[in-house]
Amino acid sequence: MNLSAIWEVIGVLIALATLPGTLELFALTTASLFWKSPQTPEEPPVLKIAILIPAHNEESNIQECLRSLLTSETGLNQVQIVVIADNCTDQTSRKATELGARVLNRTDPENRGKGHALSYAFQKLLTEQFNAFIVIDADTTVENNFIQSFSSLFSKGADAIQCRNLPVAPEESPRNRLMNLALLAFNVTRPRGRNKLGFSSGIFGNGFGLSRRTLESVPYHPGSIAEDLEYHISLVRNGIMVMFADDTTVRSLFPHDEKTASVQRSRWEGGRFRVMINCVPTLIKDFLKGKVFCLESLFDLLTLPLVFHVALIVLAALTSKWGRLYSYCALCVVVFHVFSTIITSGSRQDFKAMMVAPIYIIWKIAKLPLILKTTGKNATWVRTPRQEKRKEKKP
């Protein structure tokens, strides 16, 4: 086989590897442009809701998180805030109790992490009379309509809900603007498109809710370090759809130094690769058995993180005439996806940040070895280092 033939084969393989992502991005972006939030029922029934906050040594953040929840309107709903103090060695429990939260202390050094903490709490709270459960991270603040937005969708019959999950203060640097833009695309544009097309919006780990009947039919079991993604696939395989709450947002601290950003992104993306390895064969089998609703989740898993997706597309352009043709079409889809996100959810600063996109792509590719370390079968949960919020600059 001569060199040109080898390049042809490489081009075909790259096209096959990125085609599901290209189709996914085009379909979801197009559908998102026609998205409308569901209407609120006039007289929603009263619900008993538990808000769960898994916390490991969060004494510096827990009270601000609780204060934002305490100022969120509850309507007539009965709301109980529950902090799961998971293997804590600081004052998290005391500070949570001071603001009236219920604290579940959990000590199990061998089984650490958010998934284990949530599994423990769900098992305990399902023995009580809660109708629904909402999960947020301990370094999170919520909007005033947060609780009512969830209760409204639960009242409309939603089995599971995911709201906007975005960072605090993304304006600090072009790199952070690009990371924020990636989150807008992943956590806003795509779930809008999924719900518009009749698919499940996804669960992103922070700002999601589950009804009692959902947890009773599909128990929450801790799995990999991307337990939220694994659980969402379990929901989809059982025919349960997650609704997107586009009218409310949870915001958490944005990593403003390279070390913290690297730890966080590596855990997210490495965990996603691990779930891809575990779940793609299963979803293919489900689809072949007639579970057509699993197709979108399959395509979602086959969609690489946007930086790696673009890098492979550019590589395909170097292979052959057909590779270049595919690359031009696929890159047009990426541009359509990114610019649609900026226009519908971003700002002018995002357009300026695109100027340094090539540098950001190189930075992300350089992190690939760290990402691959977290794809291992026995990869353990690593908590993202916490940072203090930066004070806003006075004009």
Side-chain angles (χ1 to χ4, degrees):
M1 183 179 289
N2 58 36
L3 186 59
S4 62
I6 293 174
W7 276 113
E8 288 282 355
V9 171
I10 292 174
V12 170
L13 292 176
I14 292 174
L16 290 175
T18 58
L19 183 60
T22 298
L23 296 175
E24 173 88 345
L25 292 178
F26 179 75
L28 297 186
T29 305
T30 302
S32 73
L33 298 177
F34 300 94
W35 163 261
K36 291 183 180 180
S37 296
Q39 294 182 347
T40 303
E42 293 183 1
E43 295 183 6
V46 176
L47 301 176
K48 187 175 182 182
I49 302 171
I51 300 179
L52 277 60
I53 309 173
H56 172 68
N57 290 348
E58 294 284 2
E59 64 180 3
S60 62
N61 296 310
I62 193 64
Q63 289 197 332
E64 184 175 3
C65 174
L66 292 173
R67 288 190 186 100
S68 76
L69 284 170
L70 292 171
T71 58
S72 182
E73 298 176 4
T74 62
L76 298 177
N77 298 295
Q78 300 177 43
V79 178
Q80 185 174 103
I81 301 173
V82 181
V83 174
I84 309 118
D86 189 59
N87 293 288
C88 289
T89 57
D90 65 354
Q91 299 299 312
T92 297
S93 296
R94 180 181 65 79
K95 291 197 171 188
T97 303
E98 284 177 355
L99 290 185
R102 175 182 175 184
V103 176
L104 301 179
N105 289 294
R106 176 180 178 271
T107 303
D108 186 349
E110 297 299 318
N111 297 293
R112 300 169 57 249
K114 183 176 178 179
H116 291 286
L118 286 177
S119 178
Y120 168 80
F122 285 138
Q123 289 179 39
K124 185 174 183 64
L125 296 177
L126 279 172
T127 63
E128 303 175 25
Q129 300 303 309
F130 291 105
N131 305 112
F133 305 85
I134 303 173
V135 177
I136 66 170
D137 289 345
D139 63 338
T140 294
T141 55
V142 306
E143 294 182 339
N144 288 341
N145 69 335
F146 175 73
I147 296 173
Q148 287 197 321
S149 175
F150 273 76
S151 67
S152 172
L153 287 176
F154 279 129
S155 298
K156 288 172 65 69
D159 294 306
I161 302 165
Q162 172 66 56
C163 76
R164 287 170 168 246
N165 176 20
L166 297 173
V168 174
E171 298 84 7
E172 296 176 4
S173 70
R175 185 189 70 189
N176 279 1
R177 290 301 314 178
L178 287 172
M179 292 172 69
N180 179 66
L181 181 57
L183 288 173
L184 280 171
F186 193 84
N187 291 350
V188 179
T189 299
R190 297 189 201 181
R192 280 177 174 175
R194 290 190 186 103
N195 268 189
K196 184 64 180 178
L197 293 172
F199 296 115
S200 180
S201 69
I203 289 178
F204 309 136
N206 188 16
F208 71 93
L210 303 169
S211 69
R212 166 179 283 275
R213 61 178 175 272
T214 296
L215 280 167
E216 288 175 341
S217 60
V218 185
Y220 192 100
H221 294 303
S224 70
I225 56 176
E227 76 287 331
D228 51 341
L229 178 57
E230 275 191 319
Y231 185 69
H232 177 247
I233 291 172
S234 297
L235 293 180
V236 171
R237 294 187 66 212
N238 283 274
I240 295 175
M241 176 177 171
V242 181
M243 294 297 298
F244 185 49
D246 193 29
D247 62 341
T248 194
T249 306
V250 292
R251 295 189 181 274
S252 52
L253 294 173
F254 200 93
H256 51 70
D257 65 78
E258 184 171 347
K259 180 180 178 181
T260 305
S262 297
V263 171
Q264 186 181 74
R265 301 302 298 185
S266 298
R267 189 183 76 238
W268 287 350
E269 293 175 3
R272 185 176 178 84
F273 281 129
R274 181 70 246 171
V275 175
M276 184 188 299
I277 295 169
N278 290 343
C279 297
V280 163
T282 303
L283 289 171
I284 291 174
K285 290 178 183 177
D286 286 342
F287 176 70
L288 293 176
K289 290 178 181 178
K291 293 185 177 181
V292 180
F293 51 83
C294 289
L295 183 62
E296 193 282 326
S297 289
L298 174 61
F299 271 49
D300 174 48
L301 274 187
L302 291 173
T303 301
L304 297 174
L306 202 55
V307 164
F308 301 117
H309 181 74
V310 170
L312 284 179
I313 291 171
V314 171
L315 182 60
L318 305 176
T319 60
S320 64
K321 178 178 70 175
W322 296 110
R324 286 191 294 274
L325 178 61
Y326 167 74
S327 294
Y328 296 150
C329 295
L331 285 174
C332 284
V333 170
V334 172
V335 171
F336 171 53
H337 179 59
V338 172
F339 277 62
S340 295
T341 299
I342 294 174
I343 292 169
T344 58
S345 305
S347 69
R348 291 180 182 178
Q349 293 181 355
D350 293 317
F351 285 110
K352 295 178 182 178
M354 292 299 295
M355 300 288 290
V356 299
I359 298 174
Y360 178 68
I361 291 174
I362 294 171
W363 177 76
K364 283 294 295 290
I365 292 175
K367 302 302 175 186
L368 188 57
L370 184 59
I371 291 171
L372 292 176
K373 285 183 180 180
T374 61
T375 64
K377 188 175 182 180
N378 297 318
T380 56
W381 171 78
V382 178
R383 177 178 179 265
T384 302
R386 294 296 188 245
Q387 303 171 100
E388 293 182 0
K389 289 184 178 180
R390 291 186 174 182
K391 295 181 180 179
E392 295 183 2
K393 294 180 180 181
K394 296 181 179 180

